[in-house]
Amino acid sequence: MAKLYFRYGAMNSGKSTGLLQAAFNYEERGQRVLLAKPEVDVKGEGDVVSRLGVTRAVDFLVPAGADVRELFRRHATGDDPDALVGHVEAPPVACLLVDEAQFLEPAQVDDLLRIAVLDGVPVIAYGLRTDFRTRSFPGSARLLELAHSLEELKTICRCGRKAVFNTRKVVDPATGAEHFVFEGDQVAIDGVQVTYESLCGTCYLAESGGALG
């Protein structure tokens, strides 16, 4: 039985880089993969963007409310007029790779499990576990509930300890200086409206004044 994998980590833990490496590994062995990400992630628009500077176009974006299993089926078979393969008999898909999976809706994560279990295609989802307030994203919470395999991707804090929390920074319009914020909308795309820094628990609590969201 194919499985649903969730590979999660704080910002800068190499999630997108790992996804692109996984895609390369499959294709080096002559196997076909599909790449997807939620439409709400406007960073890179239709591309997976690695902090190492490597980018690759996704095969499809997932809009809010969309049936992910149907989107996958159309692109896997070449039935979608916008699909890369087009209206030809497409080779089977060896793996579906999903970037920024924390932005998926819980029902869409359910679709990922169906793709793995019912369609027999492994799904590897990459994403954040929690937001800058230390709260779970709905998509991540569902992945933690459903995934057959959980893998933490690690990165380090500025102090050298393991980073586990994401902090959000905004620019003060008066001074032009960045500062941490601990309130606001859950979704604000890195590099578009704000920037983020990964911190260990000690540094996070020092910056937040001891608050945890």
Side-chain angles (χ1 to χ4, degrees):
M1 181 184 73
K3 295 180 179 180
L4 171 60
Y5 301 82
F6 183 34
R7 296 177 179 171
Y8 65 90
M11 302 290 292
N12 299 311
S13 59
K15 298 180 295 298
S16 296
T17 301
L19 182 152
L20 294 172
Q21 181 67 55
F24 175 83
N25 291 345
Y26 272 101
E27 292 174 338
E28 188 179 38
R29 290 158 178 78
Q31 297 180 306
R32 180 182 170 216
V33 297
L34 289 181
L35 275 62
K37 74 173 188 176
E39 190 175 66
V40 69
D41 177 40
V42 296
K43 181 181 179 180
E45 298 181 345
D47 292 341
V48 172
V49 179
S50 164
R51 293 180 186 275
L52 295 182
V54 181
T55 63
R56 173 169 168 165
V58 299
D59 295 282
F60 62 94
L61 296 170
V62 180
D67 183 326
V68 180
R69 191 180 180 201
E70 176 59 21
L71 284 173
F72 169 77
R73 186 200 65 79
R74 295 201 324 246
H75 285 77
T77 60
D79 287 345
D80 193 300
D82 296 323
L84 179 64
V85 174
H87 295 282
V88 296
E89 184 174 347
V93 174
C95 186
L96 171 63
L97 300 163
V98 183
D99 197 31
E100 304 293 355
Q102 72 273 5
F103 295 138
L104 293 174
E105 298 161 1
Q108 293 174 331
V109 174
D110 294 352
D111 286 337
L112 298 185
L113 182 70
R114 295 185 183 101
I115 291 168
V117 175
L118 300 180
D119 300 328
V121 177
V123 179
I124 308 177
Y126 295 78
L128 300 171
R129 183 183 55 162
T130 57
D131 64 17
F132 72 109
R133 303 166 302 179
T134 71
R135 306 300 184 194
S136 293
F137 288 93
S140 299
R142 192 63 176 145
L143 279 161
L144 290 169
E145 292 169 341
L146 291 183
H148 297 93
S149 175
L150 301 172
E151 179 184 349
E152 182 181 17
L153 304 178
K154 299 177 178 63
T155 190
I156 59 171
C157 176
R158 61 193 181 191
C159 70
R161 299 185 183 95
K162 175 185 168 185
V164 293
F165 296 119
N166 304 298
T167 53
R168 178 180 291 177
K169 292 180 175 180
V170 299
V171 174
D172 186 330
T175 65
E178 279 192 325
H179 65 280
F180 291 104
V181 294
F182 298 91
E183 294 182 352
D185 294 337
Q186 184 174 55
V187 178
I189 303 303
D190 178 32
V192 180
Q193 300 115 320
V194 298
T195 59
Y196 292 89
E197 182 179 348
S198 304
L199 298 179
C200 68
T202 300
C203 291
Y204 184 96
L205 290 172
E207 293 291 348
S208 69
L212 284 169

